[in-house]
Coordinates of all heavy atoms in Angstrom, one line a residue:
K231 N -8.4 -13.3 -14.3 CA -7.2 -14.1 -14.3 C -6.1 -13.5 -15.2 O -4.9 -13.6 -14.8 CB -7.6 -15.5 -14.9 CG -8.3 -16.4 -14.0 CD -8.7 -17.7 -14.7 CE -9.2 -18.8 -13.9 NZ -9.5 -20.0 -14.7
R232 N -6.5 -12.9 -16.3 CA -5.5 -12.2 -17.2 C -4.8 -11.1 -16.4 O -3.6 -10.9 -16.5 CB -6.1 -11.8 -18.5 CG -6.4 -12.9 -19.5 CD -6.8 -12.4 -20.8 NE -8.0 -11.5 -20.8 CZ -9.3 -12.0 -20.9 NH1 -9.5 -13.3 -21.0 NH2 -10.3 -11.1 -20.9
Q233 N -5.6 -10.3 -15.6 CA -5.0 -9.2 -14.9 C -4.1 -9.8 -13.8 O -3.0 -9.2 -13.6 CB -6.1 -8.4 -14.2 CG -6.9 -7.6 -15.2 CD -8.1 -6.8 -14.5 OE1 -8.7 -7.3 -13.6 NE2 -8.3 -5.6 -15.0
I234 N -4.4 -10.9 -13.2 CA -3.5 -11.5 -12.2 C -2.2 -11.9 -12.8 O -1.1 -11.7 -12.3 CB -4.2 -12.6 -11.4 CG1 -5.3 -12.1 -10.5 CG2 -3.2 -13.5 -10.7 CD1 -6.3 -13.1 -10.0
D235 N -2.3 -12.5 -14.0 CA -1.1 -13.0 -14.8 C -0.2 -11.8 -15.1 O 1.0 -12.0 -15.3 CB -1.5 -13.7 -16.0 CG -2.1 -15.1 -15.8 OD1 -1.9 -15.6 -14.7 OD2 -2.7 -15.6 -16.7
K236 N -0.7 -10.6 -15.2 CA 0.1 -9.4 -15.5 C 0.8 -8.8 -14.3 O 1.6 -7.9 -14.5 CB -0.7 -8.4 -16.2 CG -1.2 -8.8 -17.6 CD -2.1 -7.7 -18.2 CE -2.7 -8.1 -19.5 NZ -3.6 -7.1 -20.0
M237 N 0.4 -9.2 -13.1 CA 0.9 -8.6 -11.9 C 2.4 -8.8 -11.8 O 3.0 -9.8 -12.2 CB 0.3 -9.2 -10.7 CG -1.2 -8.8 -10.6 SD -2.0 -9.6 -9.2 CE -1.4 -8.7 -7.8
T238 N 3.1 -7.8 -11.3 CA 4.6 -7.9 -11.1 C 4.9 -7.9 -9.6 O 4.5 -7.0 -8.9 CB 5.2 -6.6 -11.7 OG1 4.9 -6.5 -13.1 CG2 6.7 -6.7 -11.6
P239 N 5.5 -9.0 -9.2 CA 5.8 -9.1 -7.8 C 6.8 -8.1 -7.4 O 7.7 -7.7 -8.1 CB 6.5 -10.5 -7.7 CG 6.3 -11.2 -9.0 CD 5.9 -10.2 -10.0
M240 N 6.6 -7.5 -6.2 CA 7.5 -6.5 -5.6 C 7.8 -6.9 -4.2 O 7.0 -7.6 -3.6 CB 6.9 -5.1 -5.7 CG 6.7 -4.7 -7.2 SD 5.8 -3.2 -7.3 CE 7.0 -2.0 -6.7
D241 N 8.8 -6.4 -3.6 CA 9.1 -6.6 -2.2 C 8.4 -5.6 -1.3 O 8.7 -4.4 -1.4 CB 10.7 -6.5 -2.0 CG 11.1 -7.2 -0.7 OD1 10.3 -8.0 -0.2 OD2 12.2 -6.9 -0.2
M242 N 7.5 -6.1 -0.6 CA 6.7 -5.2 0.3 C 7.4 -5.0 1.6 O 7.9 -6.0 2.2 CB 5.3 -5.8 0.6 CG 4.4 -5.9 -0.6 SD 2.9 -6.8 -0.2 CE 2.2 -5.9 1.2
P243 N 7.5 -3.8 2.1 CA 8.2 -3.5 3.4 C 7.3 -3.9 4.6 O 7.8 -4.2 5.6 CB 8.6 -2.1 3.4 CG 7.6 -1.5 2.4 CD 7.2 -2.5 1.4
E244 N 6.0 -3.9 4.4 CA 5.1 -4.1 5.5 C 3.7 -4.6 4.9 O 3.4 -4.3 3.7 CB 4.9 -2.9 6.4 CG 4.8 -1.6 5.7 CD 3.4 -1.2 5.1 OE1 2.4 -1.8 5.6 OE2 3.3 -0.4 4.2
F245 N 2.9 -5.2 5.7 CA 1.6 -5.6 5.3 C 0.5 -4.6 5.6 O -0.6 -4.7 5.1 CB 1.2 -7.0 6.0 CG 2.0 -8.1 5.6 CD1 2.8 -8.9 6.5 CD2 2.0 -8.5 4.3 CE1 3.5 -10.0 6.1 CE2 2.8 -9.6 3.8 CZ 3.5 -10.4 4.8
D246 N 0.7 -3.7 6.5 CA -0.4 -2.8 7.0 C -1.1 -2.1 5.9 O -2.4 -2.1 5.9 CB 0.2 -1.8 8.0 CG 0.6 -2.5 9.4 OD1 0.7 -3.7 9.4 OD2 0.7 -1.7 10.3
T247 N -0.4 -1.5 5.0 CA -1.1 -0.7 4.0 C -2.1 -1.5 3.2 O -3.2 -1.1 3.0 CB 0.0 0.0 3.0 OG1 0.9 0.7 3.8 CG2 -0.7 0.8 2.0
G248 N -1.6 -2.6 2.6 CA -2.5 -3.5 1.9 C -3.7 -4.0 2.7 O -4.8 -4.1 2.2
L249 N -3.4 -4.5 3.9 CA -4.5 -5.0 4.7 C -5.5 -3.9 5.1 O -6.7 -4.2 5.1 CB -3.9 -5.6 6.0 CG -3.2 -6.9 5.9 CD1 -2.6 -7.4 7.2 CD2 -4.2 -8.0 5.4
K250 N -5.0 -2.7 5.3 CA -6.0 -1.6 5.6 C -6.9 -1.3 4.4 O -8.1 -1.1 4.5 CB -5.2 -0.4 6.1 CG -4.7 -0.5 7.5 CD -3.9 0.7 8.0 CE -3.4 0.4 9.4 NZ -2.5 1.4 9.9
M251 N -6.3 -1.3 3.2 CA -7.0 -1.1 2.0 C -8.1 -2.2 1.8 O -9.3 -1.9 1.5 CB -6.1 -1.0 0.8 CG -5.2 0.2 0.8 SD -3.9 0.2 -0.5 CE -4.9 0.1 -2.0
A252 N -7.7 -3.4 2.0 CA -8.6 -4.5 1.9 C -9.7 -4.5 2.9 O -10.9 -4.6 2.6 CB -7.9 -5.8 2.0
H253 N -9.4 -4.2 4.1 CA -10.3 -4.1 5.2 C -11.4 -3.0 4.9 O -12.6 -3.2 5.1 CB -9.6 -3.8 6.6 CG -10.5 -3.6 7.7 ND1 -11.0 -2.4 8.1 CD2 -11.1 -4.5 8.6 CE1 -11.8 -2.6 9.1 NE2 -11.9 -3.8 9.4
E254 N -10.9 -1.9 4.4 CA -11.8 -0.8 4.1 C -12.9 -1.2 3.1 O -14.1 -0.9 3.3 CB -11.1 0.4 3.6 CG -11.9 1.6 3.3 CD -11.1 2.8 2.7 OE1 -10.0 3.1 3.4 OE2 -11.4 3.3 1.7
K255 N -12.5 -1.9 2.1 CA -13.4 -2.3 1.0 C -14.3 -3.5 1.5 O -15.5 -3.5 1.2 CB -12.7 -2.7 -0.3 CG -12.0 -1.6 -0.9 CD -13.0 -0.6 -1.5 CE -12.3 0.5 -2.3 NZ -13.2 1.5 -2.8
L256 N -13.7 -4.4 2.2 CA -14.4 -5.6 2.6 C -15.5 -5.3 3.6 O -16.5 -6.0 3.7 CB -13.5 -6.7 3.1 CG -12.5 -7.3 2.0 CD1 -11.5 -8.2 2.7 CD2 -13.3 -8.0 0.9
T257 N -15.3 -4.3 4.5 CA -16.2 -4.0 5.5 C -17.2 -2.9 5.2 O -18.0 -2.5 6.0 CB -15.5 -3.7 6.8 OG1 -14.6 -2.6 6.6 CG2 -14.7 -4.9 7.4
D258 N -17.0 -2.3 4.0 CA -17.9 -1.2 3.6 C -19.3 -1.8 3.4 O -19.6 -2.7 2.6 CB -17.4 -0.6 2.2 CG -18.2 0.6 1.8 OD1 -19.4 0.8 2.2 OD2 -17.6 1.4 1.1

């Protein structure tokens, strides 16, 4: 929770990169 509170929002140009990273870890 503390780590989430420290996150800095940024403007993402696309979703593909993050989704691919998540997919790789979640389906390992």
Side-chain angles (χ1 to χ4, degrees):
K231 283 180 170 180
R232 286 190 300 273
Q233 288 177 324
I234 290 169
D235 286 342
K236 292 179 187 176
M237 292 176 75
T238 304
M240 299 173 67
D241 197 21
M242 294 174 54
E244 43 80 22
F245 290 123
D246 289 17
T247 303
L249 286 175
K250 287 178 182 175
M251 290 170 61
H253 178 267
E254 182 180 311
K255 293 293 184 181
L256 293 173
T257 58
D258 187 335

